[in-house]
Amino acid sequence: MPPPPKQGWKGNLTREQETKLKEMWEQILQITGVIQPKLRTNSVVVANSNGAATALTNSPVDAGKKKKRFGFFSRHDDSESSQHGGSHASGGSDNQGNSAAEADDKYGQTKEFKAALAEQSPAQLREAIWSFTKADDPDALLLRFLRARKWDVEKALAMLIAATRWRAREIHLDDDLMLKGEAWFAEKEKHGTNPQDKKLGGDFITQLRMGKSFVHGTDKEGRPMCFVRVRLHKGGEQSEESLEKFTVYTIETTRLMLTPPVDTAMIVFDMTNFAMANLDYTPVKFMIKCFEANYPESLGAICVHRSPWIFNTAWTMIRGWLDPVVASKVHFTKDASELEQFVPRANIPKELGGDEDWEYKYKEPNPGENREMREGERDGRLELARAERWEIVDRFEKETARWCRGEGGGGSEKDEDAEKNRTELAKELRRNYWKLDPFVRGKSLYDRIGVIKGGGEVDMYPESSSSTAKASVDGNDDGVD
């Protein structure tokens, strides 16, 4: 059973923390054009001492500017969310008072935030945020960023918007990586005519086949566990692009396995037979950036298991790159008895010294496994699910605006109604995502072995997983319809 939520998590907020959450929602509703900002200005942002946005321009829509769509809401058209259209005016010049704040900005998120505001209309920002939300509780998503920024609302907002920009502009997560899924990489490996695509496909799918990292089972707190077998990595064997795509794909897929109230995962770095040839700082730095900048507060615990003494020097360097909060979650375990502090022995695979008789084997994509994408687009189910999602989003935003304003005066029946309505609408959003999922995400290994089931059901120990996971790799499936 998952433990009760810790303070600062959904369901256990102090009055001050709830106020911060409301403030962040209010700012989001303003920058996405849902409500009017309290302070009007000719500039997109009023840069304060923290270098963050406090207000929006009220400039008219630039009807001639071409809008690029992000995420799975409107992959094929530009019609959704147009009622919240509009565009941002240029933000003006940076002021020197921001230099100290930006110097403390480890990943340049203030710059990314300003760029996102300059590049995207309120409607696009709105779409990007709701695309990021997927099956998450919207409050829980915002709380990750608030905790990561120590409840500084403006820094949390900048971090969130920077993360949406990274997803759309750098990784192309929802309109490419997750949309194509594993089948695309397998097909390019076999039949790709473009040498770059062929190598990318082979490098990506090779990491899945060898089980360089995989998700299996749960720890004592019900968190999904991601195992990283460090001995299987050697620098230069796969391209940097494929390593980054594989890392993000694994994180995003694991995210879909989080079932409320669980909203963090555990990583076990299996250092068995580690050698210096396995040490590669570039992907380590990328992984750290992913979790600190783009998936904050997503890790519940990190176990470095069976690390040899030769790793000590490397760890000293790596620890210096970590945020202190992340570093505090790292634990070194030398055997199964120490790993049992975090994972029931029955859930520790035998290869790590535990009792679970399970081993990883990759199950190849099935031919036509993603045909529902095409069928859903053709028969209207995709657009129906999208329209339903925007209708729920509209209602959630209205209730959130009412909740933020405290129309009942705080603690009143009206406030309680708004909070209750938001809770129910968050559940509706989760159910709706899983209606959309077959049309916007290519199937993964975890769909094929029954961990991720239809309708959002997740079973980390499916009855058939043992036999399915141990099935031989079928190299004849091309997985592309």
Side-chain angles (χ1 to χ4, degrees):
M1 284 288 293
K6 294 181 286 187
Q7 189 178 101
W9 266 254
K10 176 81 173 181
N12 189 8
L13 300 179
T14 65
R15 185 179 294 275
E16 182 180 3
Q17 288 167 347
E18 184 177 286
T19 298
K20 295 291 186 180
L21 178 61
K22 288 181 176 182
E23 288 176 7
M24 187 168 179
W25 268 118
E26 191 167 26
Q27 290 203 26
I28 286 173
L29 295 177
Q30 289 177 23
I31 69 168
T32 56
V34 176
I35 63 175
Q36 289 296 313
K38 292 180 178 179
L39 176 63
R40 299 191 177 192
T41 175
N42 291 326
S43 175
V44 175
V45 294
V46 176
N48 62 14
S49 60
N50 292 323
T54 58
L56 286 179
T57 178
N58 288 303
S59 60
V61 175
D62 179 0
K65 183 177 180 182
K66 183 178 179 181
K67 304 293 193 294
K68 179 177 178 182
R69 310 311 296 170
F70 303 97
F72 53 74
F73 276 130
S74 49
R75 177 158 47 96
H76 301 293
D77 63 62
D78 199 42
S79 61
E80 294 295 344
S81 72
S82 60
Q83 62 178 311
H84 296 290
S87 64
H88 295 296
S90 63
S93 62
D94 294 340
N95 78 45
Q96 294 181 352
N98 295 331
S99 59
E102 292 186 4
D104 191 43
D105 188 358
K106 184 175 180 180
Y107 296 110
Q109 290 172 315
T110 301
K111 182 179 178 181
E112 291 290 311
F113 171 58
K114 292 178 180 178
L117 291 182
E119 294 165 354
Q120 299 178 57
S121 70
Q124 288 174 315
L125 287 168
R126 181 178 183 241
E127 183 179 318
I129 290 169
W130 286 108
S131 178
F132 190 177
T133 304
K134 291 192 175 180
D136 283 0
D137 182 295
D139 282 352
L141 180 64
L142 267 60
L143 286 167
R144 294 181 192 276
F145 289 87
L146 282 166
R147 293 194 302 269
R149 287 295 170 261
K150 299 178 173 58
W151 302 93
D152 185 311
V153 174
E154 291 164 352
K155 289 181 180 179
L157 178 64
M159 187 184 193
L160 171 65
I161 299 302
T164 66
R165 188 174 189 268
W166 173 82
R167 293 169 69 87
R169 300 272 177 159
E170 292 187 39
I171 297 297
H172 293 278
L173 201 150
D174 291 320
D175 65 352
D176 184 74
L177 181 58
M178 301 305 289
L179 180 67
K180 290 176 176 176
E182 296 167 18
W184 184 90
F185 294 97
E187 191 276 335
K188 292 302 177 185
E189 179 202 34
K190 291 181 181 178
H191 307 298
T193 56
N194 180 306
Q196 186 176 354
D197 284 349
K198 190 174 182 70
K199 176 169 175 53
L200 176 61
D203 286 354
F204 183 94
I205 209 75
T206 292
Q207 295 176 85
L208 280 165
R209 288 179 181 140
M210 71 169 65
K212 183 183 287 187
S213 69
F214 56 87
V215 184
H216 175 69
T218 55
D219 67 5
K220 285 186 174 180
E221 297 192 11
R223 299 177 293 215
M225 294 187 292
C226 179
F227 295 89
V228 181
R229 300 194 285 194
V230 182
R231 67 184 178 276
L232 298 182
H233 176 79
K234 289 184 174 62
E237 285 191 343
Q238 288 92 35
S239 68
E240 185 174 338
E241 181 183 7
S242 74
L243 291 168
E244 291 183 357
K245 287 185 180 294
F246 179 71
T247 298
V248 176
Y249 181 82
T250 302
I251 295 171
E252 190 74 7
T253 303
T254 305
R255 183 180 167 214
L256 294 174
M257 301 181 203
L258 299 177
T259 304
V262 175
D263 71 348
T264 59
M266 177 181 181
I267 297 181
V268 178
F269 287 96
D270 176 11
M271 303 290 287
T272 305
N273 297 327
F274 171 84
M276 292 307 292
N278 306 125
L279 186 61
D280 188 356
Y281 288 122
T282 299
V284 171
K285 287 182 176 180
F286 179 77
M287 187 182 300
I288 291 171
K289 181 180 179 181
C290 282
F291 283 114
E292 290 190 355
N294 301 302
Y295 294 94
E297 294 287 306
S298 295
L299 293 175
I302 304 164
C303 285
V304 182
H305 190 61
R306 292 174 171 171
S307 67
W309 65 268
I310 58 172
F311 181 67
N312 291 347
T313 301
W315 168 242
T316 300
M317 183 177 294
I318 292 169
R319 185 182 179 90
W321 300 333
L322 294 174
D323 178 272
V325 174
V326 176
S328 71
K329 297 178 182 179
V330 179
H331 310 274
F332 284 79
T333 56
K334 67 184 181 206
D335 54 32
S337 62
E338 293 188 355
L339 191 55
E340 273 189 85
Q341 297 174 51
F342 307 93
V343 186
R345 192 175 189 88
N347 293 6
I348 302 174
K350 284 187 174 180
E351 69 176 85
L352 297 182
D355 294 341
E356 188 187 18
D357 189 13
W358 182 91
E359 63 181 73
Y360 175 88
K361 289 286 180 69
Y362 183 63
K363 184 176 176 60
E364 295 281 326
N366 300 314
E369 68 180 12
N370 295 320
R371 69 167 58 93
E372 196 169 4
M373 285 184 174
R374 188 172 58 221
E375 293 173 353
E377 187 173 354
R378 187 169 54 239
D379 63 23
R381 284 179 292 160
L382 171 59
E383 285 310 311
L384 185 64
R386 279 182 180 152
E388 179 186 278
R389 188 167 186 85
W390 278 120
E391 189 272 332
I392 302 169
V393 166
D394 283 340
R395 287 191 286 139
F396 184 88
E397 289 172 335
K398 288 175 183 175
E399 290 294 340
T400 298
R402 191 159 71 98
W403 178 65
C404 290
R405 289 192 299 264
E407 292 180 344
S412 72
E413 189 173 322
K414 285 185 178 180
D415 293 330
E416 291 176 3
D417 284 346
E419 190 167 353
K420 181 179 179 181
N421 291 343
R422 292 179 73 255
T423 298
E424 291 306 311
L425 287 167
K427 293 177 183 177
E428 284 190 44
L429 282 167
R430 178 175 174 83
R431 289 192 292 268
N432 170 267
Y433 170 76
W434 289 107
K435 290 182 182 179
L436 268 171
D437 182 75
F439 313 126
V440 299
R441 180 181 66 88
K443 293 291 188 291
S444 71
L445 165 67
Y446 305 99
D447 297 276
R448 293 191 287 277
I449 66 174
V451 173
I452 299 176
K453 301 179 182 293
E457 181 185 353
V458 176
D459 184 356
M460 299 305 297
Y461 295 96
E463 291 181 1
S464 61
S465 65
S466 180
S467 59
T468 303
K470 293 178 183 178
S472 299
V473 170
D474 182 357
N476 294 323
D477 291 345
D478 61 17
V480 176
D481 47 326

